[in-house]
Amino acid sequence: MSNKSNLSSDAAFRRVAGIAGIGFALVILGSNLILAPAGLPKPGSDPQTAVAFFVDHRDLVALAMAPVPLGWFCAVLFGAGVLAALRPAERVAGTGWSLVGFAGLLLQNATFAVIIGIRYALGTSNGEGAALWALQDALLALNGTFLATALVGLTIAGRLGGLVRPWHAAIGFLAAALQFTAATIASMIIDHDGPLGLIGLSGWLLWAVWFVAYGVALFRTSGGR
């Protein structure tokens, strides 16, 4: 009876964690879909133009950022679900890739909390926020390190544990490469208004696809349909 109860609890937790992974991606994508049509500045944009956007769209930014803390909670819950699913086998094998990935999730949450705080601050900067915008750009690019860490760790762990299929792994590794490249050339992204910022953006979009696919995979292992 106890074993059946444990199996039921495990399946339920995986199901909730899988839904949380999908929820995280939807929250982050939704926030950007609110701001992008309004002209959300790309990384490397002119500081005056960027600051003017956040000042002029203060209420819209607040609306778009409001659900983001829920997204961070979902990311942690998702990561815990992956750990619960993969750690038993990793302990036997003597590996810890899921721990590497979970650390990346926690670090990206912490970094993005600062980024969101800066965006709120830009809305009250009265047009004098060039340094804040440069800091936001730097953190956004450097955050690629943590996104890449999560992608590599959880992708390898998922492949070894049977959660991640080859096409899913390919998306994860490509996204990780793009994110790490963006972090490496962070100073160039800050100093130049051009296409370099699209490297991190492309990696981020692939990261969102990877996240949804991982959430679905985790949900399915729970027996959900």
Side-chain angles (χ1 to χ4, degrees):
M1 184 70 177
S2 177
N3 287 337
K4 288 184 178 179
S5 177
N6 289 339
L7 288 172
S8 177
S9 296
D10 176 64
F13 185 67
R14 289 194 193 189
R15 193 175 300 121
V16 171
I19 293 171
I22 298 169
F24 169 76
L26 294 179
V27 166
I28 301 303
L29 284 171
S31 295
N32 282 275
L33 286 174
I34 291 174
L35 295 176
L40 178 68
K42 299 188 299 294
S45 296
D46 174 70
Q48 284 71 34
T49 302
V51 172
F53 171 85
F54 286 98
V55 172
D56 295 341
H57 298 83
R58 181 179 175 183
D59 292 340
L60 186 64
V61 170
L63 174 66
M65 297 297 103
V68 172
L70 174 61
W72 295 331
F73 173 76
C74 287
V76 173
L77 181 55
F78 162 79
V82 175
L83 285 179
L86 300 178
R87 277 305 292 158
E90 285 188 332
R91 290 191 188 97
V92 174
T95 60
W97 284 108
S98 65
L99 293 174
V100 173
F102 189 56
L105 287 179
L106 296 179
L107 288 168
Q108 76 90 27
N109 271 9
T111 304
F112 215 75
V114 179
I115 292 172
I116 296 302
I118 290 173
R119 290 183 176 182
Y120 278 129
L122 285 169
T124 61
S125 63
N126 295 321
E128 298 177 0
L132 283 176
W133 175 248
L135 178 59
Q136 190 263 185
D137 262 4
L139 289 173
L140 200 59
L142 293 172
N143 189 45
T145 305
F146 307 132
L147 296 182
T149 300
L151 285 160
V152 171
L154 295 182
T155 296
I156 294 177
R159 279 296 294 151
L160 295 176
L163 267 179
V164 172
R165 296 181 180 182
W167 65 265
H168 189 189
I171 291 175
F173 290 134
L174 176 57
L178 291 170
Q179 291 290 350
F180 191 75
T181 299
T184 303
I185 62 172
S187 61
M188 297 175 64
I189 292 174
I190 296 169
D191 294 338
H192 298 87
D193 180 11
L196 290 178
L198 296 177
I199 296 175
L201 177 60
S202 299
W204 180 83
L205 291 173
L206 288 174
W207 146 271
V209 173
W210 173 91
F211 224 106
V212 171
Y214 217 128
V216 171
L218 188 61
F219 182 83
R220 284 178 172 172
T221 64
S222 70
R225 294 290 181 268

